[in-house]
């Protein structure tokens, strides 16, 4: 599969009809990640890529329509009608006890942050379920030895000319 096919499929998974600035963002990111693809003599270095992605996306949509609108429509409806937050919470409920047990077994090796987190959990006397979920989530970056600001991102929706979702590191609080 060539690069434009992969890009069209990836873009379509996110948005079937991206705006002009969104296509520009994809083309720009492509050239930024792979500088060898930059178009010599072009002002931006990616105008041709932007046009090619736009046309390939149109061809991709046509191909999918020919493959069977009903199947695509059913799959789209199945995916977009899922309660993502509910699904996340259900799975979180399932894994919280195991995560906390794992954290406690490795507490000494994970350092003071994990000890503090588990000590605070042990001090809680109300809304224990919520505190256990929070501790399980906050313990993940400690256990993985990652920066919490990089693990947890908060989405903010802005209302510019075009609606954009910006991912902002959420370092102060989790929820």
């Amino acid at each position: 599969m060539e690069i434009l096919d992969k890009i069209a499929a990836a873009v379509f998974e996110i948005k079937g009809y991206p705006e002009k600035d969104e296509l520009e963002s994809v083309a720009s990111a492509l050239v930024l990640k792979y500088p060898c693809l930059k178009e010599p003599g072009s002002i931006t270095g990616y105008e041709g890529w932007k046009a090619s992605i736009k046309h390939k996306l149109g061809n991709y949509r046509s191909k999918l329509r020919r493959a069977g609108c009903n199947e695509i429509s059913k799959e789209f409806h199945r995916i977009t009608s899922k309660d993502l937050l509910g699904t996340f919470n259900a799975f979180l409920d399932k894994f919280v006890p195991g995560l906390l047990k794992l954290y406690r077994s490795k507490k000494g090796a994970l350092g003071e942050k994990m000890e503090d987190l588990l000590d605070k959990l042990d001090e809680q006397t109300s809304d224990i379920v919520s505190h256990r979920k929070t501790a399980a989530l906050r313990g993940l970056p400690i256990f993985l030895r990652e920066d919490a600001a990089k693990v947890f991102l908060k989405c903010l929706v802005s209302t510019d000319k075009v609606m954009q979702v910006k991912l902002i590191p959420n370092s102060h609080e989790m929820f």
Side-chain angles (χ1 to χ4, degrees):
M1 184 182 269
E2 71 172 272
I3 191 168
L4 286 173
D5 291 326
K6 289 181 179 181
I7 291 172
V11 168
F12 187 82
E13 282 184 33
I14 297 168
K15 191 172 186 181
Y17 293 89
E19 300 293 329
K20 185 173 127 180
D21 62 325
E22 293 167 325
L23 288 172
E24 186 167 341
S25 175
V26 170
S28 172
L30 175 68
V31 171
L32 185 65
K33 184 164 183 165
Y34 301 101
C36 61
L37 296 177
K38 189 171 185 178
E39 300 165 339
S42 168
I43 294 172
T44 63
Y46 56 79
E47 278 301 315
W49 283 108
K50 181 177 150 188
S52 295
I53 292 167
K54 179 181 177 182
H55 292 293
K56 184 56 91 166
L57 200 51
N59 293 341
Y60 186 77
R61 286 189 302 263
S62 295
K63 181 179 168 184
L64 290 177
R65 274 193 297 274
R66 285 191 307 271
C69 285
N70 289 339
E71 288 179 36
I72 295 166
S73 179
K74 286 178 188 175
E75 181 65 8
F76 177 78
H77 180 54
R78 184 188 72 80
I79 292 169
T80 58
S81 63
K82 276 192 175 186
D83 175 16
L84 296 178
L85 186 58
T87 303
F88 174 79
N89 281 325
F91 278 97
L92 180 59
D93 289 342
K94 179 180 175 182
F95 290 107
V96 163
L99 285 170
L100 292 176
K101 186 175 181 179
L102 177 66
Y103 298 162
R104 288 188 191 286
S105 71
K106 305 280 186 188
K107 181 165 73 169
L110 295 173
E112 195 174 311
K113 284 184 178 181
M114 185 61 79
E115 287 188 36
D116 290 345
L117 178 71
L118 294 172
D119 288 345
K120 286 179 185 173
L121 175 62
D122 291 340
E123 293 169 4
Q124 299 304 317
T125 58
S126 64
D127 200 10
I128 301 299
V129 173
S130 175
H131 290 293
R132 288 173 53 90
K133 284 182 182 181
T134 301
L137 288 172
R138 288 191 180 180
L140 282 173
I142 299 169
F143 182 78
L144 297 172
R145 300 185 193 311
E146 294 285 340
D147 179 9
K150 291 181 182 175
V151 174
F152 299 114
L153 299 172
K154 187 178 199 178
C155 291
L156 300 176
V157 178
S158 69
T159 53
D160 299 342
K161 280 184 177 179
V162 177
M163 185 163 290
Q164 300 173 358
V165 175
K166 299 177 182 178
L167 294 176
I168 307 296
N170 186 6
S171 57
H172 299 303
E173 61 181 74
M174 182 106 105
F175 301 102

